[in-house]
């Protein structure tokens, strides 16, 4: 307004002076007057633009923010590109997320590519300068992707500022990172394996794909990389794993034989190292029906045979390992009597070797390893319990104690035990047995509860997101942090054809050479079975050819329910699909349909069970013990 008044005064003076000083001087004063008018309009517009920007800041900082503290310079398209302003002391300028949000809001308001911010928290004051860079559309899109990555991961770092960089992408025009590098402030969360799993799970959920995270707590740095895509079918490589022809593998060692069972995500064969110096004397394999547990056991058997290690295997289902009847170095037990005899033989061999070591400690260095496989442990317990009852024996079946003794003591006797089960079960770990089975392998997905039970306290996310692919597993070939693997496919030795048949026969020939003059350490006469000759015409061709059982069979089965192998577990450990004895006076188990938290009692769980009269609901305290059937098929 002041400039406008000055312009009018000067214009009037120029007009009056034109009559006395002449036309040229009047023209000069006229130009000055016009310039002043234009300048006044310009200044007024700048003031309006400044007020608009101040109103924007007020929306971010609060209505009580003092707009007179704003200094604005370098306007473009009506927006200042260089601003300097104070803000209220109550603002959380110590929070990196608050700073980032305010800076990003200013960047969008300036329509620039980036902001250079200089914070002076003591005043408190900040200067923000908008910068324009010449970048391609793909670079702009990638910057948006990087910003999203930072937004997704920032909450995991709590109040520590996170910087994200993507040094490489999967292709020239891809928006999928090939590597995500992270730099952050001092924190202690990066030392937790559970937290690392959470970072991986969050990245997979929000960014897509499956990620592997690694952190260096000493440098406050880390990175994320996409996990390599494992094959969905991995045929066994054959005898080259054991004949020393593969230069990428360690040279076979009689003192530390390795039983390979799969590839890790880098394509490297991995396996179980046994022998007198092994810190992992026993192995636990967990896998549901169809998960690939049997092919893992076949891989272990072939690896043992290839290195002259005898295999004693108990197969209570009578179908998984019996195809190795007559295979060199393999002794298979399938009937209850055979299984009981084999367990007794292994326990006797262990004690015999201990007595020999006690008499001469140097004998320990000369003992050759023995592989003892007990597949489907819970089923084996069931058939042994029935055998115990049939023999009219009292007390706990001795074979249960023998199994526990082998797990605890067989290491020094060079007897390596493999236990196979369909799912994690508390009965496997209640007595501390997990520490004896340091070599572990879990096929396909497990529940968070099963993961913690298998891998230890705090490990609730190991393998819970595995693809539902047969043979995919989390395993601990090194005995510590579990890794993802694809296990080898090994065909049934009887029905194998083509390349699978060639692989099996190559191992058979190698085994025949290794066991040509072999003398077993125990009496193997009970296990020298041959597969019977079966007439294909005698096999059932459909449901009508299969005997489904008579009423007498059903009655006999029901009368045997009292002999069911059960275990008392807390109600909070019950899962859908379990069969439980709902009441002490019940003679038949009921199926658990669903388990959920009791909405009226946080210390209780609500079970939905299926009974003869329909579905019922029961609310039980979390610590209330319920009898769970260990072998549901028997019911």
């Amino acid at each position: 307004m002041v400039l406008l008044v000055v312009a009018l005064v000067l214009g009037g003076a120029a007009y009056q002076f034109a009559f006395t000083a002449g036309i040229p001087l009047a023209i000069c004063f006229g130009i000055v007057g016009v310039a002043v008018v234009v300048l006044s309009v310009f200044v007024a517009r700048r003031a309006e633009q400044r007020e608009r920007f101040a109103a924007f800041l007020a929306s971010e900082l609060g209505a009580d923010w003092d707009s007179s503290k704003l200094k604005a310079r370098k306007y473009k398209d009506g927006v200042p590109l260089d601003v300097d302003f104070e803000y209220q002391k109550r603002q959380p300028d110590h929070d990196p997320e608050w700073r980032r949000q305010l800076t990003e809001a200013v960047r969008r308001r300036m329509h620039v590519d980036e902001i250079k911010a200089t914070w002076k928290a003591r005043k408190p004051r900040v200067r923000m300068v908008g910068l324009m860079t010449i970048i391609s559309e793909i670079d702009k899109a990638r910057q948006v992707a990087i910003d999203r990555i930072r937004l997704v991961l920032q909450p995991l770092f709590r109040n520590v500022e996170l910087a994200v960089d993507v040094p490489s992408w999967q292709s020239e025009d891809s928006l999928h990172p090939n590597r995500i590098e992270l730099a952050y402030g001092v924190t202690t969360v990066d030392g937790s394996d559970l937290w690392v799993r959470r970072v991986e799970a969050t990245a997979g959920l929000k960014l897509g794909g499956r990620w592997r995270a690694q952190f260096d707590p000493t440098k406050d740095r880390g990175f994320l990389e996409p996990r390599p895509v494992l094959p969905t079918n991995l045929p066994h490589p054959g005898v080259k794993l054991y004949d020393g022809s593969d230069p990428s593998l360690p040279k076979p060692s009689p003192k530390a034989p390795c039983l390979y069972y799969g590839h890790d995500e880098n394509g490297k064969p991995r396996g179980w190292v046994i022998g007198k110096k092994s810190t992992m004397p026993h192995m636990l394999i967990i896998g549901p029906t169809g998960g690939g547990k049997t092919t893992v056991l076949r891989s272990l058997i072939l690896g043992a045979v290839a290195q002259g290690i005898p295999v004693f295997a108990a197969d209570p289902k009578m179908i998984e390992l019996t195809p190795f009847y007559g295979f060199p170095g393999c002794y298979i037990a399938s009937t209850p009597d055979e299984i009981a005899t084999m367990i007794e033989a292994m326990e006797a061999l262990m004690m015999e070797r201990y007595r020999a070591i006690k008499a001469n400690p140097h004998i320990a260095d000369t003992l050759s390893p023995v592989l003892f496989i007990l597949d489907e442990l819970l089923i084996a317990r069931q058939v042994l319990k029935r055998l115990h009852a049939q023999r009219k024996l009292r007390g706990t079946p001795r074979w249960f104690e023998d199994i526990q003794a082998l797990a605890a003591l067989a290491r020094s006797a060079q007897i390596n035990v493999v236990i196979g089960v369909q799912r994690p079960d508390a009965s496997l770990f209640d007595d501390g047995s997990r520490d004896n089975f340091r070599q572990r392998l879990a096929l396909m997905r497990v529940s968070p509860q099963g993961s913690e039970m298998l891998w230890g306290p705090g490990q609730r996310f190991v393998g819970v997101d595995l693809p539902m692919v047969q043979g995919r597993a989390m395993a601990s070939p090194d005995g510590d942090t579990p890794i993802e693997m694809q296990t080898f496919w090994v065909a049934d030795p009887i029905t194998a054809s083509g390349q699978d048949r060639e692989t099996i026969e190559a191992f058979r020939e190698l085994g025949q050479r290794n066991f040509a003059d072999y003398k077993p350490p125990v009496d193997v006469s009970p296990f020298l079975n041959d597969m019977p000759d079966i007439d294909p015409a005698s096999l059932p061709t459909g449901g009508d050819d299969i005997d489904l059982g008579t009423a007498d069979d059903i009655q006999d089965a029901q009368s045997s329910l009292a002999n069911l192998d059960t275990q008392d577990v807390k109600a909070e450990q019950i899962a859908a699909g379990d069969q439980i004895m709902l009441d002490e006076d019940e003679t038949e188990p009921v199926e658990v349909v669903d388990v959920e938290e009791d909405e009226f009692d946080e210390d209780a769980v609500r079970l939905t069970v299926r009974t003869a009269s329909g579905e019922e609901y029961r609310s039980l305290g979390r610590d209330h013990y319920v009898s769970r059937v260990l072998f549901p098929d028997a019911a």
Side-chain angles (χ1 to χ4, degrees), residues 328-580:
C330 292
Y331 309 98
I332 310 299
S334 57
T335 67
D337 287 298
E338 291 173 352
I339 294 173
T341 301
M342 181 172 284
I343 293 173
E344 292 171 3
M346 291 295 101
E347 193 272 343
L349 175 62
M350 178 184 70
M351 298 309 299
E352 180 183 349
R353 288 187 168 187
Y354 267 110
R355 286 191 292 269
I357 294 172
K358 183 178 180 180
N360 182 2
H362 296 291
I363 289 180
D365 296 331
T366 65
L367 295 177
S368 58
V370 172
L371 187 65
F372 173 45
I373 298 175
L374 180 54
D375 192 19
E376 299 293 356
L377 174 63
L378 301 184
I379 298 178
R381 285 172 55 90
Q382 179 65 26
V383 299
L384 291 173
K385 185 175 181 179
R386 290 177 176 174
L387 178 63
H388 184 79
Q390 290 172 2
R391 294 182 178 181
K392 298 181 179 180
L393 302 175
R394 296 183 178 275
T396 302
R398 62 157 291 187
W399 310 292
F400 295 179
E401 298 176 356
D402 290 345
I403 294 171
Q404 291 180 341
L406 286 166
L409 304 173
R411 173 186 175 186
S412 296
Q414 286 293 289
I415 300 176
N416 302 104
V417 181
V418 179
I419 297 293
V421 292
Q422 291 194 12
R423 68 178 185 182
D425 194 280
S427 64
L428 298 173
F429 309 115
D430 285 346
D431 58 356
S433 297
R434 179 177 56 209
D435 293 337
N436 294 322
F437 293 88
R438 291 194 61 212
Q439 181 76 198
R440 302 170 209 148
L441 184 146
L443 290 145
M444 304 182 78
R445 294 178 186 170
V446 296
S447 66
Q449 295 82 2
S451 175
E452 191 168 30
M453 191 182 300
L454 179 61
W455 302 110
Q459 301 291 341
R460 293 178 58 85
F461 299 98
V462 179
V464 298
D465 62 341
L466 276 184
M468 298 299 287
V469 174
Q470 187 180 48
R472 189 63 53 83
M474 296 300 298
S476 57
D478 298 323
D480 43 28
T481 304
I483 62 173
E484 183 175 348
M485 295 181 62
Q486 180 67 29
T487 57
F488 296 137
W489 158 254
V490 179
D492 185 312
I494 296 178
T495 62
S497 61
Q499 183 60 50
D500 292 335
R501 167 60 62 183
E502 294 180 11
T503 299
I504 296 293
E505 292 307 314
F507 276 101
R508 189 190 301 273
E509 294 176 5
L510 185 57
Q512 289 172 345
R513 294 195 297 270
N514 290 335
F515 292 95
D517 300 318
Y518 178 70
K519 183 178 180 180
V522 299
D523 179 14
V524 296
S525 58
F527 321 121
L528 295 179
N529 301 294
D530 293 322
M531 287 298 292
D533 294 329
I534 299 177
D535 180 8
S538 67
L539 298 176
T541 58
D544 295 338
D545 299 328
I546 301 176
D547 185 6
L548 299 180
T550 64
D552 291 338
D553 296 331
I554 297 174
Q555 184 175 1
D556 291 342
Q558 290 178 342
S559 65
S560 67
L561 288 175
N563 293 324
L564 282 175
D565 195 6
T566 62
Q567 177 195 22
D568 291 337
V569 298
K570 293 181 180 180
E572 64 179 2
Q573 296 177 313
I574 298 297
D578 284 344
Q579 293 193 17
I580 62 174

Side-chain angles (χ1 to χ4, degrees), residues 200-201 203-205 207-213 224-230 265 445 463-467 472-474 484:
E200 293 174 341
L205 177 65
L207 306 180
R210 304 179 66 243
W211 296 84
R212 174 177 55 196
L224 285 162
E225 289 181 338
R227 290 187 178 275
V229 179
L230 286 166
E265 57 189 14
R445 294 178 186 170
V464 298
D465 62 341
L466 276 184
R472 189 63 53 83
M474 296 300 298
E484 183 175 348

Side-chain angles (χ1 to χ4, degrees), residues 101-130:
Q101 291 180 359
L102 181 60
T103 303
E104 177 62 17
V106 172
R107 187 194 67 80
R108 291 196 302 266
R109 185 67 178 84
M110 289 184 177
H111 304 291
V112 294
D113 296 325
E114 60 179 300
I115 291 289
K116 180 181 179 182
T118 304
W119 296 87
K120 299 178 181 179
R122 292 183 179 180
K123 291 193 175 181
R125 194 175 190 86
V126 62
R127 182 181 180 185
M128 296 185 179
V129 180

Side-chain angles (χ1 to χ4, degrees), residues 609-630:
V609 298
R610 183 178 290 114
T611 66
S613 58
E615 291 189 354
E616 296 181 6
Y617 304 99
R618 291 292 180 91
S619 182
L620 302 175
R622 293 182 181 274
D623 294 334
H624 178 82
Y625 279 87
V626 180
S627 294
R628 181 174 66 189
V629 179
L630 294 179

